[in-house]
Amino acid sequence: MGSARLYATVAAGGFRRYATYRVATAAGVFTNTVFGLILVYTYLALWDERPHLGGYDQAQAVTYVWLGQALFATLAIQGGGFETELMERIRTGEVAIDLYRPADLQAWWLAGDLGRALFQLLGRGVLPFVFGALFFPTALPHDPVIWAAFAVTIGLAMVVSFGIRFLVALSGFWLMDGTGAVQVLMVTGMFFSGMALPLNAFPQPLGDIVTLLPWSALLQMPADVLMGRTDPLFAFVFQAGWAVVLLAVGRLVQGAATRRVVVQGG
Amino acid sequence: MSEGATVPESAFIEVDRVEKVFDVRRRTGFLQRELRRVRAVDAISFTVARGEMVGYIGPNGAGKSTTIKMLTGILTPSGGRLRVAGIDPSRERTRLAHRIGVVFGQRTTLWWDLPLIDSYRLMHRMYRIPDGRYRENLDRLVELLDLSALLEVPVRQLSLGQRMRGDIAAALLHDPEVLYLDEPTIGLDVVSKARVREFLRELNTERGTTVLLTTHDLQDIEQLCSRVMVIDHGRLVYDGALAGLHEAGESERTLVVDLERELPPVEVGEAARVVKVDGPRQWLAFPASESAAPLVARIAAEYPLVDLSVREPDIEAVIARMYQDRETARETVVQAPGNS
């Protein structure tokens, strides 16, 4: 398929674009490690007071922290992927170039963002996670099948993350300034993904609600699969379901945005 | 594939009474909106034959870019008929994209962070260029545009002139039959401009690529295009040979006289008018069609003349006059009664 090769090239480009910024990557690894340490000691203090909070023991809580740091940039949980770039292109009208290309806008940016995510998983995610696993007691599985299922949940989480941010980026077609939308993305990402506190430690009924939202597909699902707390099949269905819904909505909004541009100008 | 449409060779690009109307909503008060209907392109008609190189000029906001966007299919016309290579651009944008190339001078299609060659590999996949043809075209363009030393350089490190050459190559890798250039020489130094122009001339004469060139730089037009179209306020005000612009613009020549001393503006009746006085030097404008001799004779007889020179109208001044005349003639914003 010709278009598969096109999007593979776009994804490879996305990977290499981020790979060129080595100092930024090193700084990111350092930041995620430091944040991981801060959070780990906070969690340890919290779990000392409230053992088995959210059903996690201390090792599981520590594992959750390092996983969060590993996936923070990978899943652009608080933004920082393609969305600011796309919004800028919408604002300046450069999106016109993307539109006249014989390629689909959504697939183009999805491919590029998957390339970015893969780079950030390897370049920024692995090291803090290994650091955490070496210096702290963690709860990691020995079964390779679980690791394989975990890898799948990360792949699906990347698509869900893209789906959310694609919608945020498209809001630029209607908003004069996307700063607000990006800030909303940042706050919701931090809170609803469980970046600050695992979703299962949330008080009820808030806990039940947030686990149904798409953000729980980002960090909570891979974490629960890795620690054997969720049936992988359930996780796959949940994540894939949100991915399909978000991509479909993105497609509808993209259609409306394109019509608007095509009829009304940039 | 490229012979799919049966288009008479005489009309490769057909634009027939094409209009583009934008509705602009403007806030005029709390919860009050005024709807203005702006005619960006107003019933324009022209045809471009295969292999022609046409200059498309006009002041800012005249409708040039709107026309180009309609020709690429990223804007739908509000009315009229538009065909490029027999294809209706807005209906079959993707099919048309394989047959056209576009270069926006102020925007780049290249991958900013990556070496130039990566963007070309992307074009290879995007336009599904057969491997052999891709390599052949790449080699040729790299040689003609002198890109070999730049292929491994990230685009963000290229100078503007280098980037422009890189963009032109990117637009031509898939052998488009028509190339739209929107301000291809904007911001370039003299050497880079000359290089781009030379390349475009060769492209047009040797490969027969149809070129539609939008520019503010009239030297681009003078050096490249035998035909020029002038658009102003969404209407085509001139379409023809470059030489004919002078007549159409009722152009004037300028007589520059140096008098012995500072004097009030020279009085020569209807023959000429003084447009500028600077000390003993005065500038007189007179119709380009008239002879300068009687005017010079009369001034020499009545004034203490020291020196003189006659300046031919340059195309820039001609067009500036053309724009100005129309500006004063009409203000074209139609108030729409609708509210919604």
PDB file of all heavy atoms in Angstrom, chain B residues 33-55:
ATOM      1  N   ARG B  33     -23.544  41.998  15.700  1.00  0.00           N
ATOM      2  CA  ARG B  33     -22.590  41.625  14.667  1.00  0.00           C
ATOM      3  C   ARG B  33     -23.002  42.296  13.371  1.00  0.00           C
ATOM      4  O   ARG B  33     -24.179  42.388  13.062  1.00  0.00           O
ATOM      5  CB  ARG B  33     -22.611  40.113  14.446  1.00  0.00           C
ATOM      6  CG  ARG B  33     -22.159  39.314  15.613  1.00  0.00           C
ATOM      7  CD  ARG B  33     -20.642  39.287  15.699  1.00  0.00           C
ATOM      8  NE  ARG B  33     -20.218  38.259  16.614  1.00  0.00           N
ATOM      9  CZ  ARG B  33     -20.319  38.358  17.932  1.00  0.00           C
ATOM     10  NH1 ARG B  33     -20.847  39.430  18.476  1.00  0.00           N
ATOM     11  NH2 ARG B  33     -19.896  37.368  18.692  1.00  0.00           N
ATOM     12  N   GLU B  34     -22.004  42.739  12.666  1.00  0.00           N
ATOM     13  CA  GLU B  34     -22.291  43.285  11.358  1.00  0.00           C
ATOM     14  C   GLU B  34     -21.754  42.289  10.344  1.00  0.00           C
ATOM     15  O   GLU B  34     -20.638  41.820  10.474  1.00  0.00           O
ATOM     16  CB  GLU B  34     -21.579  44.623  11.215  1.00  0.00           C
ATOM     17  CG  GLU B  34     -21.863  45.316   9.914  1.00  0.00           C
ATOM     18  CD  GLU B  34     -20.915  46.481   9.700  1.00  0.00           C
ATOM     19  OE1 GLU B  34     -19.692  46.247   9.636  1.00  0.00           O
ATOM     20  OE2 GLU B  34     -21.393  47.614   9.606  1.00  0.00           O
ATOM     21  N   LEU B  35     -22.557  41.943   9.397  1.00  0.00           N
ATOM     22  CA  LEU B  35     -22.121  41.005   8.379  1.00  0.00           C
ATOM     23  C   LEU B  35     -21.726  41.789   7.143  1.00  0.00           C
ATOM     24  O   LEU B  35     -22.546  42.503   6.570  1.00  0.00           O
ATOM     25  CB  LEU B  35     -23.244  40.026   8.044  1.00  0.00           C
ATOM     26  CG  LEU B  35     -22.859  38.976   7.009  1.00  0.00           C
ATOM     27  CD1 LEU B  35     -21.901  37.966   7.584  1.00  0.00           C
ATOM     28  CD2 LEU B  35     -24.096  38.289   6.475  1.00  0.00           C
ATOM     29  N   ARG B  36     -20.473  41.641   6.790  1.00  0.00           N
ATOM     30  CA  ARG B  36     -20.045  42.315   5.565  1.00  0.00           C
ATOM     31  C   ARG B  36     -19.717  41.264   4.533  1.00  0.00           C
ATOM     32  O   ARG B  36     -19.150  40.224   4.855  1.00  0.00           O
ATOM     33  CB  ARG B  36     -18.808  43.171   5.823  1.00  0.00           C
ATOM     34  CG  ARG B  36     -19.080  44.325   6.752  1.00  0.00           C
ATOM     35  CD  ARG B  36     -17.978  45.345   6.652  1.00  0.00           C
ATOM     36  NE  ARG B  36     -16.658  44.702   6.546  1.00  0.00           N
ATOM     37  CZ  ARG B  36     -15.605  45.296   6.014  1.00  0.00           C
ATOM     38  NH1 ARG B  36     -15.699  46.504   5.541  1.00  0.00           N
ATOM     39  NH2 ARG B  36     -14.449  44.669   5.977  1.00  0.00           N
ATOM     40  N   ARG B  37     -20.100  41.511   3.337  1.00  0.00           N
ATOM     41  CA  ARG B  37     -19.803  40.562   2.264  1.00  0.00           C
ATOM     42  C   ARG B  37     -18.655  41.145   1.450  1.00  0.00           C
ATOM     43  O   ARG B  37     -18.785  42.213   0.886  1.00  0.00           O
ATOM     44  CB  ARG B  37     -21.047  40.396   1.407  1.00  0.00           C
ATOM     45  CG  ARG B  37     -20.918  39.273   0.441  1.00  0.00           C
ATOM     46  CD  ARG B  37     -22.265  38.648   0.188  1.00  0.00           C
ATOM     47  NE  ARG B  37     -22.713  37.862   1.319  1.00  0.00           N
ATOM     48  CZ  ARG B  37     -23.901  37.265   1.363  1.00  0.00           C
ATOM     49  NH1 ARG B  37     -24.746  37.409   0.375  1.00  0.00           N
ATOM     50  NH2 ARG B  37     -24.229  36.558   2.413  1.00  0.00           N
ATOM     51  N   VAL B  38     -17.524  40.462   1.482  1.00  0.00           N
ATOM     52  CA  VAL B  38     -16.359  40.972   0.773  1.00  0.00           C
ATOM     53  C   VAL B  38     -16.131  40.135  -0.472  1.00  0.00           C
ATOM     54  O   VAL B  38     -16.034  38.916  -0.402  1.00  0.00           O
ATOM     55  CB  VAL B  38     -15.105  40.914   1.681  1.00  0.00           C
ATOM     56  CG1 VAL B  38     -13.896  41.433   0.929  1.00  0.00           C
ATOM     57  CG2 VAL B  38     -15.340  41.722   2.943  1.00  0.00           C
ATOM     58  N   ARG B  39     -16.076  40.816  -1.586  1.00  0.00           N
ATOM     59  CA  ARG B  39     -15.832  40.140  -2.852  1.00  0.00           C
ATOM     60  C   ARG B  39     -14.328  40.102  -3.106  1.00  0.00           C
ATOM     61  O   ARG B  39     -13.756  41.060  -3.609  1.00  0.00           O
ATOM     62  CB  ARG B  39     -16.519  40.935  -3.968  1.00  0.00           C
ATOM     63  CG  ARG B  39     -17.502  40.149  -4.755  1.00  0.00           C
ATOM     64  CD  ARG B  39     -18.396  41.068  -5.559  1.00  0.00           C
ATOM     65  NE  ARG B  39     -19.767  40.806  -5.173  1.00  0.00           N
ATOM     66  CZ  ARG B  39     -20.432  39.717  -5.554  1.00  0.00           C
ATOM     67  NH1 ARG B  39     -19.862  38.835  -6.335  1.00  0.00           N
ATOM     68  NH2 ARG B  39     -21.657  39.534  -5.156  1.00  0.00           N
ATOM     69  N   ALA B  40     -13.693  39.006  -2.722  1.00  0.00           N
ATOM     70  CA  ALA B  40     -12.239  38.934  -2.868  1.00  0.00           C
ATOM     71  C   ALA B  40     -11.855  38.739  -4.323  1.00  0.00           C
ATOM     72  O   ALA B  40     -10.859  39.258  -4.795  1.00  0.00           O
ATOM     73  CB  ALA B  40     -11.677  37.796  -2.021  1.00  0.00           C
ATOM     74  N   VAL B  41     -12.680  37.972  -5.015  1.00  0.00           N
ATOM     75  CA  VAL B  41     -12.466  37.770  -6.448  1.00  0.00           C
ATOM     76  C   VAL B  41     -13.815  37.976  -7.116  1.00  0.00           C
ATOM     77  O   VAL B  41     -14.803  37.372  -6.734  1.00  0.00           O
ATOM     78  CB  VAL B  41     -11.916  36.356  -6.731  1.00  0.00           C
ATOM     79  CG1 VAL B  41     -11.952  36.055  -8.214  1.00  0.00           C
ATOM     80  CG2 VAL B  41     -10.495  36.224  -6.217  1.00  0.00           C
ATOM     81  N   ASP B  42     -13.832  38.863  -8.122  1.00  0.00           N
ATOM     82  CA  ASP B  42     -15.104  39.324  -8.659  1.00  0.00           C
ATOM     83  C   ASP B  42     -15.181  39.022 -10.157  1.00  0.00           C
ATOM     84  O   ASP B  42     -14.694  39.786 -10.975  1.00  0.00           O
ATOM     85  CB  ASP B  42     -15.204  40.836  -8.401  1.00  0.00           C
ATOM     86  CG  ASP B  42     -16.613  41.342  -8.643  1.00  0.00           C
ATOM     87  OD1 ASP B  42     -17.472  40.527  -9.011  1.00  0.00           O
ATOM     88  OD2 ASP B  42     -16.839  42.546  -8.468  1.00  0.00           O
ATOM     89  N   ALA B  43     -15.775  37.878 -10.473  1.00  0.00           N
ATOM     90  CA  ALA B  43     -16.027  37.501 -11.867  1.00  0.00           C
ATOM     91  C   ALA B  43     -14.792  37.618 -12.752  1.00  0.00           C
ATOM     92  O   ALA B  43     -14.773  38.342 -13.739  1.00  0.00           O
ATOM     93  CB  ALA B  43     -17.179  38.334 -12.433  1.00  0.00           C
ATOM     94  N   ILE B  44     -13.762  36.885 -12.376  1.00  0.00           N
ATOM     95  CA  ILE B  44     -12.527  36.879 -13.165  1.00  0.00           C
ATOM     96  C   ILE B  44     -12.596  35.790 -14.226  1.00  0.00           C
ATOM     97  O   ILE B  44     -13.057  34.690 -13.953  1.00  0.00           O
ATOM     98  CB  ILE B  44     -11.323  36.638 -12.229  1.00  0.00           C
ATOM     99  CG1 ILE B  44     -10.932  37.938 -11.564  1.00  0.00           C
ATOM    100  CG2 ILE B  44     -10.155  36.029 -12.967  1.00  0.00           C
ATOM    101  CD1 ILE B  44      -9.706  37.819 -10.721  1.00  0.00           C
ATOM    102  N   SER B  45     -12.153  36.134 -15.431  1.00  0.00           N
ATOM    103  CA  SER B  45     -12.051  35.132 -16.493  1.00  0.00           C
ATOM    104  C   SER B  45     -10.688  35.226 -17.150  1.00  0.00           C
ATOM    105  O   SER B  45     -10.233  36.315 -17.474  1.00  0.00           O
ATOM    106  CB  SER B  45     -13.113  35.363 -17.569  1.00  0.00           C
ATOM    107  OG  SER B  45     -14.401  35.289 -17.013  1.00  0.00           O
ATOM    108  N   PHE B  46     -10.043  34.100 -17.312  1.00  0.00           N
ATOM    109  CA  PHE B  46      -8.843  34.051 -18.139  1.00  0.00           C
ATOM    110  C   PHE B  46      -8.538  32.597 -18.466  1.00  0.00           C
ATOM    111  O   PHE B  46      -9.081  31.687 -17.829  1.00  0.00           O
ATOM    112  CB  PHE B  46      -7.636  34.716 -17.458  1.00  0.00           C
ATOM    113  CG  PHE B  46      -7.187  34.085 -16.165  1.00  0.00           C
ATOM    114  CD1 PHE B  46      -6.345  32.978 -16.165  1.00  0.00           C
ATOM    115  CD2 PHE B  46      -7.595  34.616 -14.938  1.00  0.00           C
ATOM    116  CE1 PHE B  46      -5.919  32.413 -14.973  1.00  0.00           C
ATOM    117  CE2 PHE B  46      -7.168  34.048 -13.744  1.00  0.00           C
ATOM    118  CZ  PHE B  46      -6.335  32.939 -13.759  1.00  0.00           C
ATOM    119  N   THR B  47      -7.701  32.387 -19.469  1.00  0.00           N
ATOM    120  CA  THR B  47      -7.223  31.037 -19.740  1.00  0.00           C
ATOM    121  C   THR B  47      -5.708  31.097 -19.855  1.00  0.00           C
ATOM    122  O   THR B  47      -5.147  32.109 -20.240  1.00  0.00           O
ATOM    123  CB  THR B  47      -7.788  30.456 -21.049  1.00  0.00           C
ATOM    124  OG1 THR B  47      -7.435  31.338 -22.108  1.00  0.00           O
ATOM    125  CG2 THR B  47      -9.282  30.290 -21.000  1.00  0.00           C
ATOM    126  N   VAL B  48      -5.088  30.011 -19.475  1.00  0.00           N
ATOM    127  CA  VAL B  48      -3.638  29.904 -19.625  1.00  0.00           C
ATOM    128  C   VAL B  48      -3.364  28.650 -20.442  1.00  0.00           C
ATOM    129  O   VAL B  48      -3.886  27.580 -20.132  1.00  0.00           O
ATOM    130  CB  VAL B  48      -2.945  29.809 -18.248  1.00  0.00           C
ATOM    131  CG1 VAL B  48      -1.451  29.597 -18.416  1.00  0.00           C
ATOM    132  CG2 VAL B  48      -3.224  31.066 -17.423  1.00  0.00           C
ATOM    133  N   ALA B  49      -2.582  28.810 -21.501  1.00  0.00           N
ATOM    134  CA  ALA B  49      -2.269  27.667 -22.362  1.00  0.00           C
ATOM    135  C   ALA B  49      -1.148  26.852 -21.742  1.00  0.00           C
ATOM    136  O   ALA B  49      -0.371  27.363 -20.934  1.00  0.00           O
ATOM    137  CB  ALA B  49      -1.865  28.158 -23.743  1.00  0.00           C
ATOM    138  N   ARG B  50      -1.092  25.598 -22.137  1.00  0.00           N
ATOM    139  CA  ARG B  50      -0.006  24.740 -21.660  1.00  0.00           C
ATOM    140  C   ARG B  50       1.338  25.336 -22.087  1.00  0.00           C
ATOM    141  O   ARG B  50       1.499  25.762 -23.217  1.00  0.00           O
ATOM    142  CB  ARG B  50      -0.188  23.348 -22.269  1.00  0.00           C
ATOM    143  CG  ARG B  50       0.675  22.284 -21.661  1.00  0.00           C
ATOM    144  CD  ARG B  50       0.483  20.979 -22.396  1.00  0.00           C
ATOM    145  NE  ARG B  50      -0.758  20.306 -22.010  1.00  0.00           N
ATOM    146  CZ  ARG B  50      -0.844  19.458 -20.982  1.00  0.00           C
ATOM    147  NH1 ARG B  50       0.204  19.208 -20.233  1.00  0.00           N
ATOM    148  NH2 ARG B  50      -1.989  18.883 -20.699  1.00  0.00           N
ATOM    149  N   GLY B  51       2.259  25.402 -21.162  1.00  0.00           N
ATOM    150  CA  GLY B  51       3.590  25.897 -21.476  1.00  0.00           C
ATOM    151  C   GLY B  51       3.753  27.404 -21.378  1.00  0.00           C
ATOM    152  O   GLY B  51       4.826  27.933 -21.625  1.00  0.00           O
ATOM    153  N   GLU B  52       2.678  28.094 -21.014  1.00  0.00           N
ATOM    154  CA  GLU B  52       2.791  29.538 -20.857  1.00  0.00           C
ATOM    155  C   GLU B  52       3.428  29.884 -19.514  1.00  0.00           C
ATOM    156  O   GLU B  52       3.384  29.097 -18.567  1.00  0.00           O
ATOM    157  CB  GLU B  52       1.395  30.179 -20.898  1.00  0.00           C
ATOM    158  CG  GLU B  52       1.073  30.889 -22.197  1.00  0.00           C
ATOM    159  CD  GLU B  52      -0.145  31.789 -22.078  1.00  0.00           C
ATOM    160  OE1 GLU B  52      -1.263  31.267 -21.855  1.00  0.00           O
ATOM    161  OE2 GLU B  52       0.025  33.009 -22.179  1.00  0.00           O
ATOM    162  N   MET B  53       4.004  31.073 -19.433  1.00  0.00           N
ATOM    163  CA  MET B  53       4.528  31.557 -18.166  1.00  0.00           C
ATOM    164  C   MET B  53       3.892  32.923 -17.942  1.00  0.00           C
ATOM    165  O   MET B  53       4.167  33.869 -18.681  1.00  0.00           O
ATOM    166  CB  MET B  53       6.038  31.686 -18.250  1.00  0.00           C
ATOM    167  CG  MET B  53       6.678  31.949 -16.931  1.00  0.00           C
ATOM    168  SD  MET B  53       8.276  31.139 -16.928  1.00  0.00           S
ATOM    169  CE  MET B  53       8.990  31.685 -15.440  1.00  0.00           C
ATOM    170  N   VAL B  54       3.017  32.997 -16.968  1.00  0.00           N
ATOM    171  CA  VAL B  54       2.196  34.179 -16.803  1.00  0.00           C
ATOM    172  C   VAL B  54       2.470  34.826 -15.451  1.00  0.00           C
ATOM    173  O   VAL B  54       2.545  34.142 -14.427  1.00  0.00           O
ATOM    174  CB  VAL B  54       0.695  33.812 -16.885  1.00  0.00           C
ATOM    175  CG1 VAL B  54      -0.171  35.052 -16.744  1.00  0.00           C
ATOM    176  CG2 VAL B  54       0.393  33.099 -18.186  1.00  0.00           C
ATOM    177  N   GLY B  55       2.628  36.123 -15.471  1.00  0.00           N
ATOM    178  CA  GLY B  55       2.787  36.874 -14.227  1.00  0.00           C
ATOM    179  C   GLY B  55       1.426  37.316 -13.732  1.00  0.00           C
ATOM    180  O   GLY B  55       0.569  37.728 -14.512  1.00  0.00           O
TER     181      GLY B  55
END
